Every structure is written in structure tokens, then in C-alpha cells.
Amino acid sequence: GRTALAELEGAEAGSDHQLAWARAFIGAARSAEHLGTVRGLLDGSVAFDGLAVDTDLRWLVVSSLAAAGTPDAEALIDAELERDPTDRGQRQAIAARAGRPTAEAKAEAWRTILRDRTLSEAMLESVMRGIQQPGQDELLAPYADRYFEALPGVWDGRDLEFALEFGEQLYPRLVVTEGTVEATDRYLDREGVPGPIRRLLLEGRDRIQRALRARAVDAAAAR
């Protein structure tokens, strides 16, 4: 967060570089100080010369604040949706709600993904993209097993686009444990795993294994 903020403050006003660092800072903000700065972008109390706080950036701010556990996240989402009641705004709002760091938010998002047949595919994909947020691994851990339990039914019972989106977006990529690797291997050992799902699982397992190796290196260096 500090690096991104320093780069943002030093970037050329109005440049793509400035916008990229703004997005990086907003996404990484977790300390009270940084979250306060991010929140100020919504009401204009914080500004960076040349940085246009447009609709996309406002939704990024709201989503970041929601994922960080801001107490009034629901009110922020509702207020932003009132400003942007478009289809895109609806998708941003439902993703931000799924990203909140509470067991209730995760359970509701999971129920919506698997059971709600009234929402459009685009809305359901937004929930899938929102549910997994960095720093929420303990909340997401129970959904690792649930993912593998649900995957066969999703593949057999939903259309191909939904099944592939579910397979990719809900793979427990933030539950970086040997257990996730083992659960993936058990699923891959099943008979008749469809080729597209097999590829998604192999890619997901490889990312987990790389993350585990990186953690091991970091732990060794710290000793």
C-alpha cells in the first residue's frame, strides 16, 4: 500500500501511469489511514491532481472498502448504486456485496451462485468474481470442499458458459494449503473429468503449488 501510494503521489497528473497506481493503491488499501484516503476519493475530500474519479474508479473504491470490512459498506454500495443504476452498476454492487468479509456475505453469495435462477448470467458471474478477496482465506476455507462437491452438478446441470466460469472463478485459489492441492488431485483422479475442467484444475493446482513454494522460501529466509 505504501509503495503504491508513493508512486501515485509522484505520477504525472492525468497519465495512465497515475491511473494504474491509483487502482493499485485502492485495491491494496487495508490500514485505517489508507482506507481513509481511499474513502476520501468518494466525497472529494481527497484528490490527486489530474486523477479523474469516474464511475469505474468509484466502484473500485466501494468494492475495496466493502472487502476491507468497512462497517457502513452496505450503505456505500446502496449510495453508489443510486448514482449508477445501470446494468453495470447492478453487477458492481452484487460483486461488492459478495466481497464483504463476513460469513453471512459468503453464504449468501454461494447460495446465489448455485440456486438463484432469476439472475442473469452476467450478474451471477459478477458474484463469482466478487466472492474471493485477498486476506479472507479463513472465511473462504470452507468453500474449498464445497467447490469440489458442487462441481459435478454444475457441469452436468448448467450451461457450458456458467460451468466454465464457476470452475475458474470459484477454484479455491486463495486457500493456499496442501489440502487444496490434495483435494484437487482427488478430483482429477475421478473417472470422466471433462477436459475443460481438468485444464482449469491443473492450472489452479499449479498456482497453489507455486504459492506454497514461495511461502516456504520466505519462511526459510526469515529464519
Side-chain angles (χ1 to χ4, degrees):
R2 287 194 191 92
T3 299
L5 179 58
E7 292 286 348
L8 169 58
E9 290 172 336
E12 180 184 351
S15 66
D16 290 343
H17 190 68
Q18 182 192 45
L19 178 59
W21 280 114
R23 296 182 68 86
F25 171 65
I26 292 166
R30 285 299 178 269
S31 71
E33 180 184 358
H34 287 174
L35 288 169
T37 300
V38 167
R39 191 185 186 106
L41 292 170
L42 283 180
D43 60 21
S45 62
V46 171
F48 297 91
D49 186 29
L51 180 66
V53 184
D54 59 11
T55 300
D56 285 347
L57 207 62
R58 290 182 64 88
W59 273 120
L60 183 61
V61 167
V62 169
S63 298
S64 182
L65 292 171
T70 301
D72 61 343
E74 190 65 35
L76 290 174
I77 294 167
D78 288 344
E80 201 57 34
L81 186 57
E82 189 172 339
R83 286 175 58 97
D84 177 28
T86 63
D87 287 344
R88 178 172 169 77
Q90 295 281 350
R91 295 195 300 272
Q92 295 278 11
I94 203 169
R97 291 190 178 102
R100 291 171 296 166
T102 67
E104 294 77 14
K106 301 310 175 192
E108 177 61 20
W110 190 257
R111 185 205 65 79
T112 298
I113 292 164
L114 288 180
R115 299 182 187 175
D116 195 324
R117 300 300 182 100
T118 65
L119 292 177
S120 68
E121 199 125 298
M123 287 285 280
L124 291 173
E125 289 173 1
S126 294
V127 182
M128 291 184 215
R129 286 194 294 273
I131 191 171
Q132 297 203 78
Q133 296 291 331
Q136 298 180 2
D137 39 314
E138 288 187 10
L139 281 169
L140 295 170
Y143 294 93
D145 287 341
R146 292 174 201 177
Y147 167 82
F148 291 107
E149 291 166 3
L151 193 52
V154 168
W155 181 262
D156 291 338
R158 306 295 287 263
D159 63 57
L160 180 61
E161 183 178 354
F162 180 95
L164 291 177
E165 191 76 13
F166 181 93
E168 181 175 7
Q169 295 293 342
L170 275 299
Y171 182 83
R173 62 185 182 274
L174 298 180
V175 185
V176 181
T177 66
E178 291 290 351
T180 301
V181 174
E182 292 165 3
T184 306
D185 285 338
R186 285 195 298 271
Y187 198 96
L188 290 167
D189 285 342
R190 296 163 59 114
E191 290 187 8
V193 177
I197 294 298
R198 180 173 292 276
R199 284 192 293 274
L200 290 173
L201 294 181
L202 287 170
E203 290 169 3
R205 185 189 64 182
D206 288 347
R207 287 194 293 270
I208 295 288
Q209 289 176 319
R210 286 197 298 271
L212 286 170
R213 288 195 294 269
R215 282 187 180 179
V217 169
D218 290 344
R223 287 202 294 267

